[in-house]
Amino acid sequence: MKRKIIALLLLLAAFFPAKADEGMWLLQLMQEQNLAERMKAQGLKIDITDIYNPGKIALKDAVGIFGSGCTGEIISPDGLILTNHHCGYGAIQQHSSVEHDYLTDGFWAKNREEELPTPGLTFKFVERIVDVTDKVNEDINTGKVSEINSFGVDYLNQLANEELKKSDLAGKAGISTLVLPFYEGNKFYLFFIKTYSDVRMVAAPPSSIGKFGGETDNWMWPRHTCDFSMFRIYADKNGEPAEYSEENVPLKVKKHLTISLKGLQEGDYAMIMGFPGSTSRYLTRSEVTLRMEATNIPRIQVREARLAVLREEMAASDKVRIQYASKFASSSNYWKNSIGMNKALIDNKVLEKKTEQENRFAQFAKEKNSETYASVVSQIDKYVQDVTPVIKQITYFTETFRSGIEFGATYMQFNNLKSALQKNDKKAIEETISDLKQSFAEIHNKDYDHDVDRKVAKVLIPLYAKSVPAEALPDFYETIRTKYKGDYNAYIDALYENSIFANETNFNAFVKHPTIKAIENDLAVQYSASKNKKAGELAEKRMALSGNINLLHKTYVRGLCEMYAPTPKAPDANFTIRLTYGNVKSYDPKDGVHYKYYTTLKGVMEKEDPNNPEFIVPEKLKELYATKNYGRYALPNGEMPTCFLTTNDITGGNSGSPVMNGDGELIGAAFDGNWESLSGDISFDNNLQRCIAVDIRYILFIVEKLGGCKNLIDEMTIVE
């Protein structure tokens, strides 16, 4: 085993790739994989150690995880964070109300006292990266863990905790550890993470600027969205992570990015550092088909139905619009992505490319006389055949009952109360009722509307029944069939009106006189218990079919790396810090169509549609355009740049990532990919794949000229 791993690593480290644009590269392997030569050839001017240098300060130290699923970069010595508007959207919505509608009007802190604490928001830095592959292999060889379980969360968490205890960082404020597999378990790395939990909102443009184009322009080019927001990290007086306190001060960071106003030209070097969430570049053809049919199609169908309800309700009420803004945006994003991915997989002939790769792999296995390699694809195909129906059911279930319908009851707490009532345990009764009060408040929070959710349920519950076989239906469907004679609306109305958790009147009456009979007869308790029971059954079915699929993937990836040697391959994204590099570049999506590499404010005005909320242009922005009041941010020809394209390899999680030039200076913030290459998570296409970024000059123009925040501009390091 160990000799195989060593051989693989030698292959991964050999030579530099012919097409280095593809790949979300591990910082810790850049030198071994000889990426510096290719990066220099494409325009990198700084040394590779200026990007990542263990034990020393480098560009890596100015980039971190914003919230739970985006990237942010530090753009001032005082912990000022730049990320995307859609990444900060939840925080902006959290602070918004009908009276203070920051989503519509924007938010601009003119001084530190105006910056808004945002409970629950964090920023995480990667402090250290350690290779623990030998440790994992040692545990496999000594029997501490089986090879198949070495991928398991329990084992990896235990290893992470053990390594933290042995580290000099043990006990330090905000420090946690994480061990993750790479190359499908052929490598393992330990990450030391430092989390700051006092992050405050500083600046956000109106949604008419930060979300300009809305659903229509999402994943599209040309683009004119100024997709940014700004936050600030606060720490205790020693610069260490601390919960919110008025005594906290802006963090004096060890590294922040210099901002370049020098502009960019086609062919210029561009690199992005960030935290791409997930790619699947090593799938077989059958697994690509599985993604299309069992994940994307169900997701499209369910989200389409839910979004139609939310769209109508949000248009009718400002209160609902604000409540559901973040939920709608989150759901809509990957609804459209799934549509685009399925289209691009077909248009870009990805299935055919996968077949070609598998044929080549079969020949490679024959030349090596390796039965292990020769049989691995067929074994994966057999797994896919068996698991497809279950994954399809799970996707419909998750999209309906986990991501779609919000209402339910915490049935385990009700079971605990029932047990306490049976025992007449007064203390346990009081404690459980206290828990129920908290759960009721969590369900009926400020971002939830009971009637809106009821309308969603009336669409999704029947849709689920039409989409899956009878054995995938939770037990409450039998209640609908028998007690409510198949009338979904009658059942849902009863669920949303008569259940204990339906409203304060019902809940208060129950907690005043709780009874076992009321719990047993409650529709929400029955509904929640039955859907959780079905979720467990579906999970068990999938687990039973999984077998040794992780080891099959590990074998296949190892074989592919050998087959493609000496060209190294980057591991799939898994929300760990990566570097991707390429160039500023236009593209030709189809015959007779050419897209240039940048857009300008003129395009905003051309897209304006006062009757379409996605294309409203604020009056102040129109005034600035009319007077050409762009300051030092204009192009040499006097136009105002907005967005630009690069060949960088990115995916979800890279949102907010810094786009840097050859000098390591910030030139933009990545925020999207292009429609024609939404198959890129599975198959990268050098000709079509583009990263869409907002130009840093447009961001600073909006901050200074529209937001009036010269205070923020003054704390940045800017070169012209």
Side-chain angles (χ1 to χ4, degrees), residues 63 71-73 75 82-84 227-228 257-264 269-273 584 642-646 648 654-661 664-671 691-700:
V63 181
T71 300
E73 52 272 14
I75 57 171
L82 174 66
T83 189
N84 286 156
D227 196 344
F228 85 95
L257 298 182
T258 295
I259 294 170
S260 170
L261 301 183
K262 292 178 284 190
L264 44 92
Y269 177 86
M271 63 182 175
I272 291 175
M273 197 183 298
V584 174
T642 52
C643 300
F644 64 93
L645 294 172
T646 73
N648 292 103
N654 273 122
S655 291
S657 293
V659 185
M660 295 171 279
N661 61 20
E665 298 161 343
L666 186 66
I667 57 174
F671 71 91
C691 163
I692 302 174
V694 56
D695 196 301
I696 194 63
R697 292 169 292 182
Y698 190 31
I699 292 173
L700 299 188

Side-chain angles (χ1 to χ4, degrees), residues 11-17 561-568:
L11 290 168
L12 295 173
F15 302 94
F16 56 81
C561 288
E562 291 180 17
M563 183 180 79
Y564 283 112
T567 301

Side-chain angles (χ1 to χ4, degrees), residues 619-677:
E619 286 300 320
K620 188 169 183 180
L621 185 58
K622 288 194 281 189
E623 291 172 10
L624 291 168
Y625 175 75
T627 59
K628 307 300 180 188
N629 185 12
Y630 305 145
R632 56 179 171 164
Y633 307 117
L635 295 169
N637 66 2
E639 291 187 296
M640 183 68 231
T642 52
C643 300
F644 64 93
L645 294 172
T646 73
T647 60
N648 292 103
D649 187 0
I650 67 162
T651 189
N654 273 122
S655 291
S657 293
V659 185
M660 295 171 279
N661 61 20
D663 293 313
E665 298 161 343
L666 186 66
I667 57 174
F671 71 91
D672 213 350
N674 59 323
W675 181 254
E676 297 83 4
S677 68

